[in-house]
Amino acid sequence: MNFLISDAMAQSGAQQQSDPMITLFFMVGIFAVMYFLMIRPQQKRMKAHQEMVNALGVGDEVITNGGTLGKITHVDETFAKVEIAENTEVHVQRSAIAKVLPKGTIKSLK
């Protein structure tokens, strides 16, 4: 009447031991899947963003992480001045710039 224990295991009394190599291969496989599906793509995105931030220049039209659209008027080591309206500039960190837009994007939106 034991539905949870198989009769063969209950009669023999022996426990089946798993091979430690199978466990090791399983753990390495899980790490490899995590690396290729999560870690590596994130590193590629970070590298691409860093290259984009390093290539910023005066006159680039950008979108900040906050969603502000503007044109860069001045760039230094850590900050950039972004003109968001006529005679209105804001200082943003270079790393806070999310995307560089094609030239003329701001004029096409007006």
Side-chain angles (χ1 to χ4, degrees), residues 6-87:
S6 70
D7 292 332
M9 277 296 239
Q11 290 175 357
S12 68
Q15 293 181 351
Q16 185 179 8
Q17 294 182 356
S18 63
D19 187 14
M21 291 302 287
I22 292 174
T23 305
L24 179 65
F25 286 136
F26 180 72
M27 290 175 68
V28 169
I30 293 294
F31 179 74
V33 168
M34 294 287 283
Y35 176 77
F36 285 109
L37 292 180
M38 294 175 66
I39 298 169
R40 192 165 179 246
Q42 180 64 24
Q43 287 176 340
K44 282 186 175 184
R45 280 191 296 271
M46 286 173 51
K47 183 178 178 183
H49 183 261
Q50 188 63 36
E51 289 173 356
M52 184 266 308
V53 167
N54 290 338
L56 289 175
V58 175
D60 289 343
E61 296 177 3
V62 297
I63 294 180
T64 65
N65 286 339
T68 306
L69 176 70
K71 190 176 199 176
I72 295 178
T73 58
H74 177 74
V75 178
D76 64 14
E77 287 182 25
T78 55
F79 291 96
K81 280 186 182 180
V82 179
E83 183 179 34
I84 57 174
E86 199 169 315
N87 297 324

